[in-house]
């Protein structure tokens, strides 16, 4: 286990306290949708509000995982239900770890389905 896998596993488990415990007190979490959450208290508030609003994570599967010093990076596939709509996309996370917890995290997502290029674009 690592700080990043602990964080992702906590979200999949819908465990707000584990999510909060996986981040530093003064963390900065930048979600791929745009919001930035500053500090453990705000991350806990976000997770609580997200699950209370009916958010469901069906799958957040890491497909590779790299660790280099205090940095972690992982591409993944994410599937959730939000506002009654189920969706899935590929993305990646880059994180900086301090004292075993996430100090800074940035998510990225694909904006279109991936495909093998065959000479023309979709």
């Amino acid at each position: 286990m690592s700080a990043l896998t602990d964080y992702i596993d906590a979200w999949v488990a819908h465990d707000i306290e584990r999510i909060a415990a996986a981040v530093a007190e003064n963390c900065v979490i930048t979600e791929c949708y745009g919001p930035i959450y500053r500090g453990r208290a705000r991350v806990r508030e976000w997770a609580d509000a997200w699950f209370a609003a009916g958010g469901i994570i069906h799958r957040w599967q890491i497909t590779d995982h790299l660790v280099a010093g205090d940095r972690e990076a992982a591409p993944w596939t994410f599937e959730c239900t939000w506002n009654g709509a189920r969706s899935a996309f590929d993305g990646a996370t880059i994180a900086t770890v301090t004292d075993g917890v996430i100090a800074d995290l940035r998510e990225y997502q694909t904006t279109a389905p991936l495909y093998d290029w065959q000479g023309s674009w979709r």
Side-chain angles (χ1 to χ4, degrees):
M1 297 294 280
S2 71
L4 180 56
T5 58
D6 287 347
Y7 176 79
I8 289 173
D9 289 348
W11 275 98
V12 172
H14 301 180
D15 190 330
I16 295 164
E17 290 310 311
R18 277 181 54 205
I19 293 166
V23 301
E25 189 66 40
N26 61 345
C27 68
V28 177
I29 307 295
T30 305
E31 195 177 11
C32 59
Y33 300 107
I36 300 171
Y37 308 97
R38 299 181 191 276
R40 180 181 290 148
R42 182 64 70 181
V43 169
R44 183 182 285 113
E45 182 182 355
W46 160 43
D48 185 50
W50 197 84
F51 291 122
I56 301 167
I57 296 175
H58 303 286
R59 181 172 55 117
W60 195 349
Q61 181 181 0
I62 294 173
T63 57
D64 197 4
H65 184 220
L66 308 159
V67 178
D70 67 346
R71 304 293 171 119
E72 293 190 49
W76 38 256
T77 299
F78 182 77
E79 184 176 357
C80 74
T81 296
W82 179 246
N83 287 333
R86 190 168 180 154
S87 64
F89 60 88
D90 294 314
T93 299
I94 299 171
T96 302
V97 176
T98 302
D99 297 326
V101 293
I102 295 170
D104 186 80
L105 181 145
R106 178 99 188 224
E107 293 178 344
Y108 299 89
Q109 80 177 70
T110 56
T111 58
L114 301 177
Y115 64 96
D116 289 325
W117 188 69
Q118 302 294 325
S120 62
W121 292 273
R122 292 184 186 169

